[in-house]
Amino acid sequence: MDRITPQHLGLINPLLDARIDWTWFIASQFAFGIVAGLVVVRQERVRTRQFVPFLIRAGIEAPGLTDEKPNRNGSR
């Protein structure tokens, strides 16, 4: 994307093209990618329920979706 933009921006918006220093723009994009990658890598993993059936995630109570454990007196 960075290679296509400088070539076509002169046709699309010549005033903006005249004001952009492409060396700094590409360097800042590279630095942003490095910093964003470090932030993501250092974040704590969040457990998700993506493998739980949709009806349970949606909060719909339907018989047979989960294994009900019996109470102390033996009834469910």
Side-chain angles (χ1 to χ4, degrees):
M1 183 67 180
D2 287 336
R3 293 181 184 177
I4 296 171
T5 304
Q7 296 169 358
H8 298 292
L9 191 59
L11 298 172
I12 297 169
N13 191 343
L15 183 61
L16 183 61
D17 186 42
R19 295 183 175 265
I20 295 177
D21 183 359
W22 289 104
T23 305
W24 279 107
F25 176 77
I26 294 170
S28 67
Q29 291 293 305
F30 181 76
F32 176 81
I34 296 295
V35 171
L38 289 173
V39 168
V40 169
V41 165
R42 292 179 180 214
Q43 292 299 313
E44 183 178 328
R45 292 192 141 239
V46 177
R47 293 185 55 108
T48 63
R49 300 177 69 184
Q50 69 186 33
F51 297 111
V52 176
F54 174 74
L55 294 176
I56 294 175
R57 287 183 287 158
I60 298 172
E61 296 182 15
L65 286 179
T66 60
D67 295 332
E68 295 178 6
K69 297 180 182 177
N71 294 336
R72 282 188 243 171
N73 59 6
S75 65
R76 288 186 169 210

